[in-house]
Amino acid sequence: MTPVAAAVEAVRQRVVAACERSDRDPTTVRIVAATKTVDASRVRSAIEAGIAEIGENHVQEALLKHDELDNVVTWHLFGHLQSNKARVAAGIFDVVHSVDSERIARALATQRNPEGAPLALLLEVDYSGRSERTALADVEVIPLVRRLAGLPGIHVSGLMTIAPQGGADAARDSFRRLRELRDAVEFRTGWALPELSMGMSDDFEVAVEEGATMIRLGRALFGER
Ligand SMILES: *Cc1c(COP(=O)(O)O)cnc(C)c1O
């Protein structure tokens, strides 16, 4: 077994255990491999080990790997996106986790090929206080969902957050807040937001216990960057 295959198996078992603790069905948790800085051959071994979803932070890096890797995986974008990259991003990704403005969502909607499936968008909410990330304040989410709901080319399907530093309790608190925000937004707008993208290598089990449907894992699969 390759190291990455062993890591995939270990992560799967931890997800199953977290699902048992929280009475969830493990098939409702998607493992998205965070492949920034991981070269295409190691990404390929992860795919051979059963990874079906790949997340990149930069459009340019994703583009290079996209050409090298089989087009059988689902492609996710985790990193902040600028409007001048919207055309390329709308062409190669299936899910964008880092939507932080109406402007970028509209740019993606305009650039998406209308013949294909709409691009799934997650609105990124900031509970981290990390100034290097641009993300929405929670009060901005309801008005944004109302403005984007039903636009052709995109489908707003959930929320994403990055836990603040400060250990498992701080992480759990931010994940719970994201879930409660999702419930409130659904109630107020009537728009379904089934996806919660939360949890990374250090806190994915807590995220699963709090309802994550997508966990974004780099180091837990590939080792330290
Ligand atoms: C790098 C990255 C991850 C994965 O981080 P690990 O700690 O290596 O699991 C998840 N989400 C985002 C937004 C990232 O940039």
Side-chain angles (χ1 to χ4, degrees):
M1 213 194 254
T2 61
V4 66
V8 169
E9 185 49 34
V11 160
R12 285 230 171 89
Q13 286 174 14
R14 289 168 66 186
V15 169
V16 167
C19 284
E20 276 166 11
R21 289 194 293 277
S22 50
D23 201 17
R24 295 190 58 199
D25 171 359
T27 64
T28 62
V29 181
R30 293 156 69 178
I31 297 170
V32 187
T35 52
K36 58 175 177 264
T37 77
V38 179
D39 62 40
S41 67
R42 291 176 71 214
V43 178
R44 193 186 299 280
S45 0
I47 295 169
E48 281 159 9
I51 288 293
E53 313 208 38
I54 300 295
E56 283 285 340
N57 283 58
H58 300 290
V59 174
Q60 213 52 38
E61 189 177 343
L63 198 55
L64 293 172
K65 288 177 194 167
H66 200 266
D67 286 344
E68 277 190 62
L69 294 166
D70 305 333
N71 216 342
V72 294
V73 290
T74 302
W75 287 81
H76 298 248
L77 178 66
F78 297 155
H80 173 71
L81 183 61
Q82 277 159 347
S83 303
N84 61 1
K85 301 267 174 62
R87 187 182 59 80
V88 178
I92 62 176
F93 292 106
D94 304 291
V95 186
V96 175
H97 293 232
S98 45
V99 173
D100 53 14
S101 70
E102 179 174 356
R103 183 179 138 96
I104 196 65
R106 285 188 180 275
L108 288 167
T110 308
Q111 297 295 342
R112 186 70 166 180
N113 179 354
E115 315 272 289
L119 181 61
L121 302 189
L122 309 181
L123 306 183
E124 181 175 349
V125 181
D126 179 35
Y127 295 123
S128 74
R130 292 189 198 186
S131 54
E132 78 271 15
R133 299 239 9 137
T134 56
L136 300 160
D138 49 11
V139 295
E140 295 178 285
V141 173
I142 286 176
L144 190 52
V145 167
R146 289 202 169 116
R147 286 198 295 272
L148 299 178
L151 273 191
I154 58 171
H155 187 85
V156 181
S157 51
L159 304 179
M160 178 273 220
T161 199
I162 297 178
Q165 265 133 17
D169 288 347
R172 188 181 296 281
D173 185 61
S174 68
F175 299 150
R176 187 174 294 152
R177 284 171 73 184
L178 193 73
R179 188 190 65 227
E180 289 172 359
L181 175 64
R182 185 276 304 276
D183 294 346
V185 176
E186 285 189 333
F187 183 74
R188 294 272 301 283
T189 64
W191 185 261
L193 296 170
E195 304 292 352
L196 290 175
S197 167
M198 54 192 199
M200 307 178 13
S201 294
D202 292 329
D203 51 30
F204 69 90
E205 288 151 302
V206 171
V208 168
E209 288 171 17
E210 294 299 331
T213 63
M214 296 179 186
I215 53 176
R216 310 177 308 267
L217 303 180
R219 291 165 302 131
L221 296 174
F222 302 107
E224 293 298 323
R225 278 184 291 279

